[in-house]
Amino acid sequence: MEEDTGVLPRKESFSEWYNEVLWRAEIMDVRYPVKGLYVWYPHGFGIRKRAYGILRDLMDRDHAETMFPLLIPKTEFMKEAEHIKGFEDEVYWVTHGGTSELDVPLALRPTSETAIYPMYSLWIRSHTDLPLKLYQIVNTFRYETKHTRPLIRLREITSFKEAHTVHATWEEAAAQVEVALDLYKEFYDSLRVPVIISRRPNWDKFPGADYTIAVDTIMPDGKTLQIGTAHMLGDHFSRTYDITYEDANGERQYAYQTCYGISERSIAAVISIHGDDKGLVLPPEVAPIEVVIVPIIVGKRRDEVLAAAKGLEEELRNARFAVKLDDRDMRPGAKYYHWEMRGVPLRVEIGPRDIDANTVVAVTRTGKKITLDRRGVVEGVNSVLAEFGEEMGRAAHQAMADKIVVAATLEEAAAAVKTGVAVVHWCGSQECAEKIEAAVDASILGSDIRSDLITVSDGPCIACGGKGTSALVARTY
Amino acid sequence: MEEDTGVLPRKESFSEWYNEVLWRAEIMDVRYPVKGLYVWYPHGFGIRKRAYGILRDLMDRDHAETMFPLLIPKTEFMKEAEHIKGFEDEVYWVTHGGTSELDVPLALRPTSETAIYPMYSLWIRSHTDLPLKLYQIVNTFRYETKHTRPLIRLREITSFKEAHTVHATWEEAAAQVEVALDLYKEFYDSLRVPVIISRRPNWDKFPGADYTIAVDTIMPDGKTLQIGTAHMLGDHFSRTYDITYEDANGERQYAYQTCYGISERSIAAVISIHGDDKGLVLPPEVAPIEVVIVPIIVGKRRDEVLAAAKGLEEELRNARFAVKLDDRDMRPGAKYYHWEMRGVPLRVEIGPRDIDANTVVAVTRTGKKITLDRRGVVEGVNSVLAEFGEEMGRAAHQAMADKIVVAATLEEAAAAVKTGVAVVHWCGSQECAEKIEAAVDASILGSDIRSDLITVSDGPCIACGGKGTSALVARTY
């Protein structure tokens, strides 16, 4: 739309960089006239579309997709006491239809437990109906009073993938939470986003859950971003919404449930983890354009070069690459700038010299230049892209490893969280958590850590000296 | 979920049949505790998913996908006078966030012009930004006071595909309306749903449009269902929302716009047009399960039959069919009933005799039985499904042709609309439309008809005898 020619802030000024890259790379427009609501530009939505395609394929292996209504009657919403307490300040209420007041106000779902579980109560009769594993990708709403931020803290979460499962036993439900975490790990592996999985402290769990296990990544500024959660609901909701089944002995039992979700924070992570001073850097798996072809046009061989570029485009498209020929009447340098900002993994240049030599020049988004044989171009592009994706993964993994510091004292932890995450020993008590949080000026993120970046151990709590185990302390988004 | 063994009403009792088939075939659950809001069962959502996959591919040829917020501030919503008048009784209003009242009430979009066009005003600067062709697939809301009906008349339209285009001239915008109608025709061809395209009378056009052209189908009860619309907006909205561009001469011009939409009524049409007394009949293109394999198990050769069925499943899955092996411990007859109700296009039976003869038995949803060579089973299934789809298209076309009657008098028209649609000559005046509607007890649906089912001609208006042309009279959903 508007062509931008300005300069992006350096990525080390992360907050400014993030805000600027969102519009310069055409991810989100923040000028929509309501706080906390943003517009997806087509390029940003293209990333979302590919990423959620991956997520859908993962879910479809073992879940069925469905869709429940956005509007939840107040009467249903108010049934589960803990759950309401967690959300009551954040819910948008529809009170009028046309000019008349509604008899029962309707909540815009902040999450769908209270919409889905009354139906589960109708659907589940027998143990043969279990397990039930459904998911939906929908918009949800939170009346955020804190500072809002595109893709990260929103009033309309446009892309909430929420799964809701029902099981016969507590153990099966607990096992499903682990299955969910494996799926999420696999999802973020495709996005080349390194994650740390940990169990949230009890006071930070999902309202109404037995426990919550979360997936976090570390942003360039060292703050953690929660990019996925899995909740063990036990039988709290099944008792409230009367979700029971007849077991093999003909006895009625309460069911056990889980729910787990991922939002467009996943896209925020891709952008933030991989981007650089020139703009986005997209993993080939989620790039709306994987390859851009830039013809290098020299006066008299113009038609020949354009024809060669079109031939190349067609060949790559037939090989199922997301390819774009940029034949605009502009300097190549301006085109490079344009596509680098938008994160296109590979640029292929073709000019008279390449035609003569029967080659093309491939340049990755991070500047690696490879001359490819024109005849084997599909294989060549394929292997350059595969290697590029792998390299992105390694670089992101290293960058994240560099942000994790093992801290033996409160002072070391306080220093560590200025640029990353501290791993400390903690006894698990809320009292010590409060002491640590006050001294370090950061939060206890979680314990029971699963990450190939962190070696977990037992040791004395850094607050009380009692028996402790590894926990994460971080500033969080 | 609950296995049903009851009897479906005959399809000739269409309204009862429709209501029953929705839950027996697991399309929608109507028991959600808010009027006009329904829950997609996974099977129903599977049909939606495949149908909207086709629609997305069609749109992606020449449009970019995007997403705008659901909530529209009252201040923006109220800017276009005609548009508001069309929607003011139907809009849901969010008035509260948490326990506090909002400064500006927020409308749940009934359609997105007033959300999108303020952004278009920011995005469009120059003639080089045009044409702009975006679309989104979103939920929209109408506070319906009329009788609601799943997939047809909803308070939450869960699956609204709306496109919004901007052009330099009126002519280009008008041409885009035709492009949209061609796309929609192609979409419904894939769904084997015959359509009639016609121009709505002026008093029935989209609020704020120059004119509206609609896509209708005829339901089994003879009433028409509007399943797509394309609106020529002229410069009404661009003047209200200040959408201007600098032309090649450096002068500022108002842009011209179109919008066009399709909703889950498309799914209602597929269900209604093709279903029969046994349940759904799905075109292979949108069937979540294209082929169900039923092993015919006879005592001692049980393991052999199951292994053969699994081998067949794998081969068909590798050939990219949506295939399901039903190895439940049930009578084959109960399985047939189950999958027939859900519209699966092809059942493949394999038993001991088939193994011995190296064949399988394919039975189409409408009862055609074909013995296929086991070795060439992929080609065999492919050709049976292709032929089945073609046959569905021909049958639907014939059924719709039978419902269209050319009527030379008001009496003939009144008789025709009892079971279908009347084609009459009409002068185009509102006065005559009212006379015709009163006499026939049906509505003037449209003129300027495009359909291979109807031959258009000029002739005397059946109300006033003046110069007229072909128009449709119908009872409508």
Side-chain angles (χ1 to χ4, degrees):
Chain A
M1 319 202 173
E2 299 153 60
E3 188 63 28
D4 160 62
T5 50
V7 174
L8 191 64
R10 300 281 303 270
K11 199 183 172 193
E12 59 192 32
S13 310
F14 176 66
S15 188
E16 292 77 29
W17 179 91
Y18 183 78
N19 288 336
E20 289 270 318
V21 86
L22 285 182
W23 74 266
R24 286 181 194 267
E26 294 186 327
I27 307 296
M28 304 294 289
D29 194 322
V30 302
R31 294 173 290 177
Y32 191 78
V34 182
K35 171 183 151 80
L37 304 184
Y38 309 100
V39 177
W40 286 94
Y41 279 114
H43 187 63
F45 199 80
I47 301 169
R48 188 264 199 196
K49 206 163 166 167
R50 291 204 69 191
Y52 276 69
I54 295 171
L55 187 55
R56 223 170 214 136
D57 286 346
L58 284 171
M59 300 305 292
D60 283 345
R61 276 190 207 156
D62 191 28
H63 301 68
E65 189 170 356
T66 176
M67 197 178 267
F68 285 77
L70 169 70
L71 302 173
I72 304 170
K74 191 169 184 176
T75 40
E76 290 298 329
F77 191 78
M78 290 304 192
K79 276 186 182 163
E80 217 291 331
E82 274 185 63
H83 188 68
I84 300 149
K85 252 190 292 167
F87 287 105
E88 67 186 346
D89 293 337
E90 298 193 350
V91 171
Y92 278 111
W93 291 102
V94 177
T95 58
H96 287 75
T99 50
S100 33
E101 191 169 348
L102 302 177
D103 294 338
V104 179
L106 300 168
L108 303 192
R109 61 181 161 224
T111 169
S112 298
E113 288 72 17
T114 58
I116 295 177
Y117 299 167
M119 301 308 295
Y120 277 9
S121 166
L122 298 172
W123 290 353
I124 293 163
R125 289 277 161 268
S126 150
H127 63 101
T128 59
D129 296 326
L130 301 178
L132 178 64
K133 302 180 193 175
L134 302 183
Y135 80 97
Q136 60 177 5
I137 299 176
V138 295
N139 51 353
T140 67
F141 294 82
R142 307 272 165 99
Y143 180 64
E144 288 286 354
T145 46
K146 290 190 216 167
H147 184 64
T148 54
R149 195 187 297 265
L151 302 174
I152 291 179
R153 191 170 296 280
L154 306 158
R155 288 186 164 182
E156 178 179 12
I157 297 160
T158 65
S159 311
F160 191 48
K161 190 287 299 164
E162 51 176 329
H164 296 268
T165 71
V166 189
H167 307 266
T169 65
W170 193 96
E171 289 71 23
E172 286 171 53
Q176 184 64 31
V177 167
E178 302 304 315
V179 169
L181 294 167
D182 287 344
L183 281 175
Y184 286 2
K185 177 74 169 60
E186 194 174 342
F187 174 60
Y188 283 112
D189 281 349
S190 321
L191 271 44
R192 315 286 180 185
V193 170
V195 298
I196 306 174
I197 295 172
S198 71
R199 185 170 167 140
R200 287 281 175 271
N202 250 332
W203 53 89
D204 208 17
K205 68 184 183 185
F206 181 72
D210 276 4
Y211 60 84
T212 289
I213 300 183
V215 179
D216 295 276
T217 195
I218 308 179
M219 297 287 263
D221 60 1
K223 288 161 82 171
T224 56
L225 183 70
Q226 176 179 297
I227 51 178
T229 46
H231 313 294
M232 170 62 180
L233 301 179
D235 59 0
H236 296 199
F237 285 89
S238 68
R239 286 180 183 272
T240 303
Y241 290 96
D242 197 31
I243 303 172
T244 62
Y245 67 96
E246 201 178 276
D247 67 16
N249 305 319
E251 278 170 42
R252 193 135 292 276
Q253 306 284 356
Y254 282 106
Y256 293 86
Q257 296 180 264
T258 82
C259 62
Y260 34 101
I262 274 189
S263 76
E264 58 254 59
R265 282 187 163 199
S266 54
I267 309 301
V270 169
I271 291 168
S272 305
I273 297 289
H274 300 304
D276 67 16
D277 290 350
K278 290 179 172 178
L280 300 186
V281 181
L282 293 175
E285 290 79 0
V286 299
I289 301 171
E290 290 164 288
V291 182
V292 63
I293 299 170
V294 178
I296 309 298
I297 292 170
V298 184
K300 61 185 174 186
R301 293 180 70 182
R302 179 192 160 85
D303 291 352
E304 189 190 352
V305 169
L306 277 178
K310 276 193 183 127
L312 181 61
E313 181 198 18
E314 202 182 323
E315 188 172 342
L316 292 177
R317 175 159 301 136
N318 289 341
R320 304 201 147 272
F321 291 107
V323 61
K324 164 105 187 161
L325 168 61
D326 186 353
D327 56 4
R328 288 178 296 172
D329 189 16
M330 284 167 66
R331 287 179 303 106
K335 292 181 185 177
Y336 298 170
Y337 174 91
H338 181 93
W339 298 113
E340 280 167 0
M341 182 65 78
R342 285 158 185 77
V344 176
L346 196 66
R347 177 175 83 228
V348 175
E349 303 166 7
I350 186 162
R353 261 185 298 182
D354 303 298
I355 293 174
D356 294 344
N358 213 8
T359 57
V360 298
V361 176
V363 185
T364 70
R365 171 58 182 76
T366 45
K368 195 171 162 195
K369 207 164 186 164
I370 311 109
T371 301
L372 296 176
D373 191 331
R374 176 63 186 82
R375 271 165 308 213
V377 73
V378 165
E379 295 73 27
V381 165
N382 213 25
S383 94
V384 172
L385 281 178
E387 171 53 32
F388 179 72
E390 295 287 320
E391 177 52 34
M392 284 184 74
R394 282 192 296 270
H397 192 271
Q398 188 54 55
M400 189 150 151
D402 292 344
K403 293 199 177 69
I404 301 170
V405 174
V406 175
T409 65
L410 290 170
E411 294 68 33
E412 283 177 23
V417 301
K418 290 203 163 46
T419 55
V421 169
V423 183
V424 304
H425 289 127
W426 168 52
C427 67
S429 77
Q430 185 159 5
E431 197 185 335
C432 285
E434 282 165 10
K435 278 186 197 155
I436 296 168
E437 292 182 347
V440 175
D441 194 20
S443 308
I444 294 276
L445 190 67
S447 52
D448 191 8
I449 303 164
R450 308 101 186 264
S451 167
D452 56 1
L453 291 157
I454 296 167
T455 309
V456 173
S457 63
D458 293 334
C461 174
I462 59 165
C464 70
K467 190 169 154 26
T469 186
S470 296
L472 301 165
V473 185
R475 293 171 302 129
T476 62
Y477 270 92
Chain B
M1 320 219 166
E2 300 154 61
E3 188 64 28
D4 161 61
T5 49
V7 174
L8 191 64
R10 300 282 303 270
K11 199 182 170 194
E12 59 191 34
S13 310
F14 176 67
S15 187
E16 291 77 30
W17 178 90
Y18 183 78
N19 288 336
E20 289 269 319
V21 87
L22 285 182
W23 75 266
R24 285 180 193 266
E26 292 185 328
I27 306 297
M28 305 294 289
D29 194 322
V30 301
R31 292 172 293 176
Y32 191 78
V34 182
K35 170 184 149 82
L37 304 183
Y38 308 101
V39 177
W40 286 95
Y41 280 113
H43 187 63
F45 200 79
I47 302 170
R48 190 266 199 194
K49 206 163 168 168
R50 292 203 69 191
Y52 276 69
I54 295 170
L55 187 54
R56 224 170 213 135
D57 286 345
L58 284 171
M59 299 305 293
D60 284 345
R61 276 190 207 156
D62 191 29
H63 302 67
E65 189 169 356
T66 176
M67 199 178 265
F68 285 77
L70 169 70
L71 302 174
I72 304 169
K74 190 169 185 177
T75 42
E76 290 297 329
F77 191 78
M78 290 303 192
K79 276 187 181 163
E80 218 289 336
E82 272 185 64
H83 189 69
I84 302 149
K85 251 189 292 166
F87 288 105
E88 67 185 347
D89 293 339
E90 298 193 349
V91 172
Y92 277 111
W93 291 102
V94 177
T95 58
H96 287 74
T99 50
S100 33
E101 191 169 348
L102 303 177
D103 294 338
V104 178
L106 301 168
L108 303 192
R109 61 182 161 224
T111 169
S112 297
E113 287 72 18
T114 58
I116 295 177
Y117 299 168
M119 302 308 296
Y120 277 8
S121 167
L122 299 170
W123 290 353
I124 292 163
R125 290 277 162 268
S126 148
H127 62 100
T128 59
D129 296 326
L130 301 178
L132 177 65
K133 301 179 193 175
L134 302 184
Y135 79 98
Q136 60 179 3
I137 299 176
V138 294
N139 50 352
T140 67
F141 294 82
R142 309 270 166 100
Y143 180 63
E144 289 286 354
T145 47
K146 290 190 218 166
H147 184 63
T148 54
R149 196 187 297 264
L151 302 174
I152 291 179
R153 189 171 298 279
L154 306 159
R155 287 185 166 183
E156 177 178 12
I157 297 160
T158 65
S159 313
F160 191 48
K161 191 286 300 163
E162 51 177 329
H164 295 268
T165 72
V166 190
H167 307 267
T169 65
W170 193 94
E171 289 72 22
E172 286 171 52
Q176 185 63 32
V177 167
E178 302 304 315
V179 169
L181 295 167
D182 286 347
L183 281 175
Y184 286 2
K185 177 72 168 64
E186 195 173 341
F187 173 61
Y188 283 112
D189 281 350
S190 321
L191 270 47
R192 315 286 180 185
V193 169
V195 297
I196 306 174
I197 295 172
S198 70
R199 185 169 166 142
R200 286 280 176 270
N202 249 332
W203 53 89
D204 208 16
K205 67 186 184 187
F206 182 72
D210 276 4
Y211 60 85
T212 290
I213 299 183
V215 179
D216 296 276
T217 195
I218 307 178
M219 297 286 264
D221 60 1
K223 288 162 83 172
T224 57
L225 183 69
Q226 176 179 297
I227 52 178
T229 47
H231 311 295
M232 169 63 181
L233 302 179
D235 59 1
H236 295 199
F237 285 89
S238 68
R239 287 180 182 272
T240 303
Y241 290 96
D242 198 31
I243 302 172
T244 63
Y245 67 96
E246 201 177 276
D247 68 16
N249 304 320
E251 278 170 41
R252 194 136 291 278
Q253 306 283 358
Y254 283 106
Y256 294 85
Q257 297 179 263
T258 81
C259 63
Y260 35 100
I262 274 187
S263 76
E264 59 253 58
R265 282 187 165 200
S266 54
I267 308 302
V270 169
I271 292 168
S272 305
I273 297 289
H274 300 303
D276 66 15
D277 290 350
K278 291 179 172 177
L280 299 187
V281 181
L282 293 175
E285 291 79 1
V286 299
I289 301 170
E290 290 164 288
V291 182
V292 62
I293 299 170
V294 179
I296 309 297
I297 292 169
V298 184
K300 60 185 175 187
R301 292 182 70 183
R302 181 193 157 83
D303 292 350
E304 187 190 354
V305 169
L306 275 178
K310 275 193 184 128
L312 181 61
E313 181 197 19
E314 202 182 322
E315 186 171 344
L316 292 177
R317 175 159 301 135
N318 289 341
R320 302 201 148 273
F321 291 106
V323 61
K324 164 107 188 160
L325 167 62
D326 186 352
D327 55 4
R328 289 178 294 173
D329 189 17
M330 283 167 65
R331 287 178 305 106
K335 293 182 186 178
Y336 300 170
Y337 174 90
H338 181 94
W339 298 113
E340 281 169 357
M341 182 64 78
R342 285 157 184 78
V344 175
L346 195 66
R347 178 175 82 228
V348 174
E349 303 166 7
I350 186 163
R353 261 184 300 180
D354 303 298
I355 294 174
D356 295 343
N358 212 9
T359 56
V360 298
V361 176
V363 185
T364 70
R365 171 58 181 77
T366 45
K368 198 173 159 191
K369 205 164 189 166
I370 311 110
T371 301
L372 296 176
D373 190 333
R374 177 63 187 80
R375 271 164 309 214
V377 72
V378 166
E379 295 72 27
V381 165
N382 212 25
S383 94
V384 171
L385 281 177
E387 170 54 30
F388 179 72
E390 296 286 319
E391 177 52 33
M392 284 184 74
R394 282 191 296 271
H397 193 272
Q398 188 55 52
M400 188 150 151
D402 291 346
K403 292 199 178 69
I404 301 169
V405 173
V406 175
T409 63
L410 290 170
E411 292 69 33
E412 282 177 23
V417 300
K418 289 201 162 48
T419 54
V421 169
V423 182
V424 305
H425 288 127
W426 169 51
C427 66
S429 76
Q430 187 159 4
E431 197 186 337
C432 284
E434 283 166 8
K435 276 186 199 158
I436 295 168
E437 292 182 345
V440 175
D441 194 20
S443 308
I444 293 277
L445 189 68
S447 52
D448 191 8
I449 303 163
R450 308 101 186 264
S451 167
D452 57 359
L453 291 157
I454 295 167
T455 309
V456 172
S457 63
D458 293 334
C461 173
I462 59 164
C464 71
K467 192 170 154 22
T469 185
S470 296
L472 300 164
V473 185
R475 292 171 301 129
T476 62
Y477 270 93

